[in-house]
Amino acid sequence: MPCIKKTPFFKRNQHLAGIESASNAIKSVAISVCMLAALAGCKSRPMAPQTTEPPTPAPAPVFTPQAPPPASSSTLPAAGSWAEYRRRAAQIIIGSNPGASFTGPQPAQWSGIATVTVMLNANGSIRSLDLMRGSRISPEVNDLALTAVRRGLNYGSVENLPQPWQFNETFLYNDQNKFQLVTIVEGR
C-alpha cells in the first residue's frame, strides 16, 4: 500500500477559512446595503413613471431693453468708413444708456476697463457680442459693458462697409461704475 501523507485538518481547511471570511464580509455588506435601501425607501415618495420622451430644454433668456433704442438708428445715412461708424455707434451706446456714462476729466485711475467686440448683421442689428478683454479688478463692469451695447439694438446698416461687419469698443469705468468710451475720448 502506498504511503499517503496526511495533512493535519486545520492546515487543509486553512485556505477555506480565508474564503469563508471573505464570503461573510460580502454577506454583511449586502445585508447592510439592503437595509439602507429599505430605510431609504420608507422616507422617499414613490417614483413617477419614466417617459421615453427627452426632456424639453429650458427656453433661452429673452433680452428686454431697458431704454428705447434711438429712433434715428434705422434711418441713419450709410457711414463712409468704420471710423465714422464707430463714432456713430458710440453716440448710440451713450444715448441708449442715460445716466450710465459721464463726461469731464478722467480719473487718475480707472476702476475697470472692458473691451467688447460687436458683430453685426447687414442691417446693423447685433449678431453677437464677445468680451474681448474684461476687467479682473472689477468684474462687474464686464456685464455692464455688454448690457450697454445690447441696449443700442441697432447701429445702422453696414452693407456698404467691408466685412467682417464688426467693431470694438472699450469702456473705461470710474469708481461709480459710470463709463466713458475710448472712441469718444480719442475724438476730443
Side-chain angles (χ1 to χ4, degrees):
M1 182 170 226
C3 181
I4 300 176
K5 184 177 177 189
K6 294 200 174 194
T7 309
F9 178 75
F10 67 89
K11 284 191 177 180
R12 268 188 291 165
N13 293 327
Q14 193 172 24
H15 73 281
L16 293 177
I19 294 172
E20 187 174 315
S21 89
S23 175
N24 286 340
I26 292 171
K27 286 179 188 175
S28 175
V29 170
I31 289 170
S32 298
V33 169
C34 288
M35 289 176 65
L36 287 173
L39 288 174
C42 291
K43 294 180 182 179
S44 66
R45 292 182 284 168
M47 292 178 48
Q50 294 187 0
T51 61
T52 57
E53 297 178 22
T56 307
V62 177
F63 172 73
T64 306
Q66 297 176 1
S72 61
S73 65
S74 61
T75 59
L76 292 171
S81 68
W82 276 110
E84 180 185 342
Y85 193 88
R86 278 187 62 207
R87 282 190 297 278
R88 183 186 305 166
Q91 291 298 329
I92 291 170
I93 291 170
I94 290 170
S96 300
N97 294 278
S101 65
F102 75 97
T103 57
Q106 298 176 0
Q109 184 174 353
W110 296 104
S111 68
I113 299 173
T115 302
V116 177
T117 299
V118 182
M119 289 152 274
L120 302 163
N121 294 312
N123 67 356
S125 62
I126 299 170
R127 186 177 74 222
S128 65
L129 297 175
D130 182 38
L131 186 65
M132 184 176 167
R133 177 178 173 233
S135 176
R136 292 183 186 164
I137 297 169
S138 301
E140 67 275 3
V141 303
N142 301 334
D143 289 333
L144 291 173
L146 291 168
T147 300
V149 173
R150 281 188 195 103
R151 285 188 181 136
L153 294 180
N154 191 305
Y155 294 95
S157 175
V158 290
E159 290 178 318
N160 64 315
L161 295 174
Q163 290 189 20
W165 292 328
Q166 67 184 34
F167 66 93
N168 297 330
E169 187 56 74
T170 301
F171 290 74
L172 308 169
Y173 284 90
N174 65 11
D175 57 354
Q176 293 146 356
N177 283 344
K178 293 186 182 263
F179 66 84
Q180 284 190 355
L181 299 175
V182 166
T183 302
I184 300 298
V185 172
E186 287 175 348
R188 290 185 186 163

